[in-house]
């Protein structure tokens, strides 16, 4: 058992030391001005030459209630969802849910108890940019960035005036969504506040395949209520310094429905979190700047099941302190060293008191920008509770032989630390677990071509990847209980393709995108039985694809999507599986706008063909459903 107060004292001393050091540096005079419109992250923006990444447009994220729905509709990565309003997790390039790092303004928000993020809890209405970064990047983002990372960012735009953005949506299964976001932007400050309320009865009809009759049943005990608040503030302190704050509160209460095999349920779960973050950025001169951030997260998962006589309350305290500098050694060379300390304290009924993970890491990244060649090199060394973690790093290169062609490649070593539950759960926790670690390789081609005076743009990106992870942590039966062990070796490899065709004229804007994904993710452990050796991991589809079109013609809005997911095995020997399925969605709408107002109404039909499909074994999914959405934005510009 660890002392919470002692670790807090150590963190305070460290913070005071670094702040005093930063103030000493800041005595250097400089006339450099902080950018007045957008503040971006060092590592996210500067060290991305050889990676494959996609940005999901804000107009798409705001139409949905949470990040799980956004990514399910785009189908660029596989989302494992237990149903509307239920837990949703991601799988990138054949990795597990804990192999995707989810970062909010640079902070890793994966839950330290379980190692993953529930995407159904993330209200994307208050997110300004959502970016998917593919491939390993543990050297940049720390534990868990093995398959990829999801970056959620809030931006600050100064000198804009008053803006009021609102959304109201109603839909099938008594769903209702209310969101409002107010922001006042002066020349040297930004203040913003957002509120949200999403709810649904979620009582859709389904057919139970385990019964002999074909009678439709209505899902019971599946409603949810999700209330949220997001606040932000930023202040330009001088021509060299900017101070910003973010607060994010969410209270998600949901009933947990039964399954095909056991339809009755009285289980409930409450997910509540409060996330506080502060960041200070100082430009010393044209060549040197420093960014220091600190965050405190308080998260609660309260699970109650009267039928099974289970009452479990799990609380997590997470404190993050990070400081990174950027040195522009020349017009072509950037050096980015930094330090991170993350303390996670679990207060869980199944622990023998509170338990702690204290991870400290130093990292550095170097970026070289040449004429046709850009490359990055980064490394990271950490300690977990005093024990040395694997030394990780990555190197990528971008070569542009022609104006329209880019070639890229990346090699990385990545890791994931055991979670608090892995180490300390009683019974079964294993304090002797080793971190997972592995190597990844990828190579890709990007092609862009404009036609007809740039009214048509064709884009293609293709990537080959391979990754081997050792000491994969899996919970296995150990007598009368389950226990985690470092027993698996997993080889993931595959091909990704992304085609985009964009058309733009004076009154029309159309974007069409096709994404295909082929992933083999197999168990290569020598000590495993022949039944599961070289078999595909469960719930990782070999084939998936999607097509999406978005258009705007003279104010008329239209969108459509088709997504396909292939066979997903539900047993390690691959004898049991879920059938492939294809979903069709469509939306139409209209938008009115002038200098101050922007209003649009959209009507959507989802699962148009009423496909009977299953994402998770024994969990029903909804058939055809509808949604009507109204978005109103108001802007009163700042008087000059």
């Amino acid at each position: 058992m660890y002392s919470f107060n002692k670790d807090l004292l150590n963190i305070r001393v460290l913070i005071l030391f670094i702040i005093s050091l930063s103030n000493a540096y800041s005595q250097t005079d400089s006339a450099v001005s902080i950018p007045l419109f957008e503040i971006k992250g060092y590592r996210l923006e500067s060290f991305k030459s050889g990676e494959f990444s996609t940005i999901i447009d804000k107009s798409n994220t705001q139409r949905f209630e949470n990040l799980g729905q956004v990514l399910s509709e785009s189908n660029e990565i596989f989302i494992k969802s237990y149903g509307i309003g239920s837990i949703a997790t991601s799988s990138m390039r054949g990795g597990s849910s804990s192999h995707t790092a989810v970062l909010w303004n640079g902070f890793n928000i994966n839950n330290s108890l379980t190692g993953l993020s529930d995407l159904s809890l993330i209200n994307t209405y208050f997110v300004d940019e959502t970016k998917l970064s593919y491939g390993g990047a543990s050297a940049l983002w720390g534990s868990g960035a093995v398959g990829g990372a999801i970056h959620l960012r809030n931006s600050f735009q100064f000198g804009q005036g008053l803006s009021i953005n609102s959304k109201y949506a109603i839909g099938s299964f008594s769903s209702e969504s209310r969101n409002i976001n107010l922001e006042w932007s002066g020349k040297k400050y930004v203040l913003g506040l957002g509120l949200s309320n999403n709810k649904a009865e979620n009582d859709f009809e389904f057919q139970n395949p385990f019964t002999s009759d074909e009678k439709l049943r209505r899902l019971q005990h599946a409603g949810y209520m999700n209330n949220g608040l997001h606040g932000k503030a930023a202040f330009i302190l001088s021509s060299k310094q900017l101070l910003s704050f973010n607060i994010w509160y969410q209270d998600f209460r949901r009933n947990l429905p039964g399954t095909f095999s056991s339809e009755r349920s009285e289980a409930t779960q409450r997910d509540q979190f409060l996330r506080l973050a502060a960041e200070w950025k100082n430009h010393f001169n044209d060549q040197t700047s420093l960014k220091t951030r600190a965050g405190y997260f308080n998260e609660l998962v309260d699970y109650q099941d009267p039928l099974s006589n289970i009452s479990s309350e799990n609380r997590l305290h997470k404190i993050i302190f990070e400081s990174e500098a950027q040195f522009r050694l020349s017009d072509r060379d950037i050096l980015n060293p930094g330090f991170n300390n993350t303390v996670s304290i679990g207060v869980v009924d199944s622990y023998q008191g509170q338990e702690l993970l204290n991870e400290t890491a130093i990292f550095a990244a170097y970026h070289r920008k040449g004429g046709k060649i850009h490359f990055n090199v980064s490394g990271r060394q950490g300690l977990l509770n005093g024990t040395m973690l694997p030394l990780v790093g990555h190197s990528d290169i971008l070569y542009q032989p022609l104006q329209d062609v880019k070639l890229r490649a990346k090699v990385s070593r990545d890791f994931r630390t055991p979670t608090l539950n892995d180490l300390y759960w009683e019974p079964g926790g294993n304090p002797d677990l080793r971190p997972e670690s592995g190597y990844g390789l990828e190579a890709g081609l990007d092609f862009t071509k404009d036609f007809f005076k740039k009214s048509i743009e064709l884009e293609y990106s293709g990537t080959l990847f391979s990754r081997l992870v050792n000491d994969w942590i899996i919970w296995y039966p150990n007598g009368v209980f389950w226990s985690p062990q470092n027993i698996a070796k997993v080889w993931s490899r595959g091909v990704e393709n992304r085609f985009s065709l964009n058309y733009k004229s004076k009154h029309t804007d159309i974007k069409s995108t096709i994404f295909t994904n082929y992933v083999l993710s197999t168990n290569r452990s020598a000590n495993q039985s022949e039944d599961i050796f070289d078999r595909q991991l469960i719930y990782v589809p070999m084939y998936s694809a999607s097509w999406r079109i978005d258009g705007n013609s003279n104010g008329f809005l239209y969108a459509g999507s088709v997504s396909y997911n292939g066979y997903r095995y539900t047993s390690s020997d691959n004898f049991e599986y879920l059938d492939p399925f294809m979903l069709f969605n469509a939306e139409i709408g209209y938008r009115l706008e002038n200098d101050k107002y922007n209003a649009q109404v959209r009507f959507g039909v989802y699962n148009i063909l009423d496909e009977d499909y299953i994402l998770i074994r024994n969990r029903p999914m909804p058939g055809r459903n509808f949604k009507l959405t109204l978005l109103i934005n108001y802007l009163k510009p700042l008087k000059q």
Side-chain angles (χ1 to χ4, degrees):
M1 184 184 300
Y2 295 88
S3 171
F4 186 20
N5 294 328
K6 180 180 178 181
D7 283 282
L8 281 178
L9 177 61
N10 293 335
I11 293 168
R12 291 190 188 108
V13 172
L14 180 62
I15 291 173
L16 289 174
F17 170 74
I18 294 182
I19 289 177
S20 64
L21 181 64
S22 302
N23 287 335
Y25 276 116
S26 66
Q27 300 304 314
T28 304
D29 189 23
S30 171
V32 177
S33 297
I34 290 179
L36 292 183
F37 295 101
E38 201 166 5
I39 305 299
K40 296 186 177 182
Y42 293 160
R43 284 166 286 162
L44 183 60
E45 299 302 321
S46 300
F47 300 90
K48 60 180 182 179
S49 300
E51 74 169 16
F52 174 56
S53 62
T54 60
I55 294 177
I56 301 178
D57 190 83
K58 187 176 180 179
S59 63
N60 288 328
T61 61
Q62 288 192 337
R63 300 200 330 261
F64 297 93
E65 277 62 65
N66 61 67
L67 184 59
Q69 293 178 2
V70 172
L71 298 178
S72 292
E73 204 268 348
S74 68
N75 205 39
E76 292 195 15
I77 61 177
F78 180 66
I79 299 300
K80 189 166 65 173
S81 172
Y82 287 78
I84 297 177
S86 296
I87 185 172
T89 59
S90 64
S91 174
M92 297 185 74
R93 291 186 171 176
S96 70
S97 302
S98 55
H99 289 158
T100 302
V102 181
L103 297 109
W104 169 60
N105 297 318
F107 293 98
N108 191 320
I109 61 173
N110 283 17
N111 188 289
S112 301
L113 302 178
T114 61
L116 52 85
S117 285
D118 181 357
L119 305 182
S120 70
L121 302 178
I122 299 175
N123 186 342
T124 51
Y125 188 78
F126 303 124
V127 177
D128 294 315
E129 181 180 277
T130 302
K131 179 180 178 180
L132 306 181
S133 296
Y134 294 78
S138 294
L140 294 177
W141 311 116
S143 173
V146 178
I150 301 173
H151 299 273
L152 311 172
R153 192 169 65 85
N154 296 110
S155 61
F156 297 99
Q157 297 186 3
F158 296 87
Q160 301 297 296
L162 174 66
S163 65
I164 303 174
N165 304 317
S166 61
K167 168 190 169 184
Y168 179 73
I170 56 173
S172 302
F173 323 128
S174 303
S175 65
E176 193 171 6
S177 176
R178 303 179 183 90
N179 298 268
I180 187 168
N181 192 41
L182 299 92
E183 187 170 311
W184 176 252
S185 169
K187 293 182 179 180
K188 292 190 175 183
Y189 66 90
V190 174
L191 300 174
L193 177 65
L195 300 171
S196 66
N197 169 260
N198 299 317
K199 61 181 181 179
E201 290 298 321
N202 203 18
D203 53 348
F204 58 86
E205 292 184 330
F206 68 96
Q207 185 175 342
N208 192 333
F210 292 121
T211 59
S212 57
D213 63 77
E214 298 183 357
K215 179 182 177 181
L216 290 177
R217 290 164 164 76
R218 188 170 294 277
L219 190 66
Q220 303 294 322
H221 194 69
Y224 66 87
M225 171 82 76
N226 186 10
N227 295 313
L229 176 148
H230 180 265
K232 65 179 183 179
F235 306 93
I236 296 178
L237 304 180
S238 69
S239 61
K240 298 181 293 184
Q241 299 184 66
L242 181 133
L243 182 66
S244 62
F245 303 91
N246 278 283
I247 178 174
W248 184 6
Y249 172 79
Q250 207 82 22
D251 188 2
F252 198 151
R253 303 177 187 226
R254 49 189 163 193
N255 297 328
L256 303 180
T259 63
F260 288 140
S261 56
S262 178
E263 294 186 18
R264 185 187 175 194
S265 173
E266 295 181 10
T268 62
Q269 182 170 311
R270 181 185 185 187
D271 294 87
Q272 182 187 58
F273 63 76
L274 173 66
R275 294 174 178 148
L276 306 173
E279 183 174 277
W280 173 67
K281 188 171 184 178
N282 193 339
H283 289 259
F284 301 120
N285 50 51
D286 286 335
Q287 290 76 39
T288 307
S289 58
L290 177 71
K291 179 188 292 184
T292 301
R293 63 169 69 95
Y296 169 70
F297 304 161
N298 188 326
E299 305 185 18
L300 169 71
V301 179
D302 184 7
Y303 176 83
Q304 304 292 328
D305 188 353
L307 295 181
S308 302
N309 196 27
I310 296 175
S311 178
S312 177
E313 183 175 299
N314 305 321
R315 187 172 292 276
L316 172 70
H317 301 274
K318 192 171 183 178
I319 303 153
I320 303 175
F321 178 79
E322 185 173 84
S323 186
E324 59 179 310
Q326 185 172 97
F327 302 100
R328 292 191 174 273
L329 307 178
S330 70
D331 291 341
R332 295 184 175 185
D333 300 278
I334 298 175
L335 180 63
N336 182 195
F339 166 87
N340 178 284
N341 180 242
T342 301
V343 177
S344 302
I345 302 101
V347 185
V348 178
D349 293 341
S350 295
Y351 295 173
Q352 293 182 353
Q354 66 182 27
E355 298 289 355
L356 176 145
L357 291 178
N358 188 346
E359 183 178 347
T360 303
I362 57 173
F363 57 85
Y366 169 73
H367 173 69
R368 170 72 174 178
K369 181 180 179 180
K372 293 185 176 181
I373 299 177
H374 300 183
F375 71 87
N376 303 305
V377 179
S378 62
R380 187 184 193 97
Q381 179 63 70
L383 291 171
L384 180 65
N385 288 353
T387 301
M388 194 76 70
L389 291 170
L391 175 64
V392 297
H394 99 268
S395 177
D396 62 70
I397 186 170
L398 177 70
Y399 172 57
Q400 188 170 2
L402 302 171
Q403 181 178 355
D404 301 325
V405 178
K406 296 178 181 179
L407 303 175
R408 48 186 165 80
K410 183 169 76 170
V411 58
S412 65
R413 188 187 186 198
D414 304 293
F415 78 106
R416 182 182 79 86
T417 59
T419 67
L420 281 162
N421 285 354
D422 290 334
L423 296 169
Y424 303 116
W425 189 271
E426 290 291 341
N430 182 358
D432 297 323
L433 286 173
R434 298 180 301 276
E436 301 175 354
S437 64
Y439 296 88
L441 296 167
E442 65 179 85
L445 165 70
D446 299 324
F447 173 79
T448 304
K449 185 67 176 179
D450 296 324
F451 301 94
F452 304 109
K453 298 181 180 180
K454 297 186 177 182
S455 62
I456 296 179
E457 182 183 55
L458 174 66
E459 296 178 332
Y460 167 75
S461 292
T463 306
L464 298 168
F465 66 88
S466 177
R467 182 183 67 245
L468 184 67
V469 177
N470 298 301
D471 291 326
W472 192 299
I473 298 172
I474 296 180
W475 285 69
Y476 267 91
N478 184 10
V480 296
F481 54 84
W482 291 62
S483 181
Q485 305 290 332
N486 292 106
I487 60 175
K489 177 186 291 186
V490 175
W491 182 23
S492 302
R493 62 276 193 202
V495 184
E496 296 164 340
N497 292 288
R498 190 176 193 270
F499 305 85
S500 293
L501 183 63
N502 309 319
Y503 171 75
K504 193 169 186 177
S505 65
K506 184 176 180 180
H507 300 293
T508 301
D509 192 351
I510 302 174
K511 183 173 183 178
S512 177
T513 303
I514 296 174
F515 190 90
T516 67
N517 203 4
Y518 171 70
V519 177
L520 278 176
S521 191
T522 55
N523 190 330
R524 304 291 292 181
S525 305
N527 59 348
Q528 298 296 305
S529 68
E530 294 183 0
D531 290 340
I532 64 176
F533 181 77
D534 207 27
R535 299 294 192 271
Q536 183 82 349
L537 295 189
I538 63 172
Y539 291 111
V540 176
M542 288 187 187
Y543 301 96
S544 61
S546 65
W547 170 75
R548 178 169 182 83
I549 185 170
D550 290 276
N552 176 14
S553 300
N554 290 313
F556 288 96
L557 308 173
Y558 41 92
S561 67
V562 181
S563 61
Y564 170 83
N565 281 290
Y567 289 99
R568 286 136 293 129
Y569 297 105
T570 59
S571 63
S572 298
D573 57 12
N574 290 181
F575 284 130
E576 299 179 5
Y577 57 87
L578 298 174
D579 290 328
F581 65 89
M582 186 177 293
L583 299 180
F584 293 79
N585 305 318
E587 290 184 359
I588 57 171
Y590 189 75
R591 182 171 67 187
L592 290 171
E593 58 184 335
N594 57 29
D595 293 340
K596 292 185 177 181
Y597 294 92
N598 178 328
Q600 60 177 280
V601 59
R602 308 181 74 108
F603 177 72
V605 185
Y606 308 95
N607 192 1
I608 295 174
L609 301 183
D610 204 23
E611 177 81 3
D612 187 9
Y613 70 102
I614 299 174
L615 274 173
I616 302 295
R617 188 177 182 181
N618 287 335
R619 303 283 179 172
M621 296 298 290
R624 185 185 301 113
N625 58 97
F626 309 91
K627 185 170 69 173
L628 180 66
T629 303
L630 176 64
L631 296 162
I632 300 177
N633 303 319
Y634 168 77
L635 175 64
K636 182 180 180 181
L638 187 69
K639 293 182 179 180
Q640 302 297 323

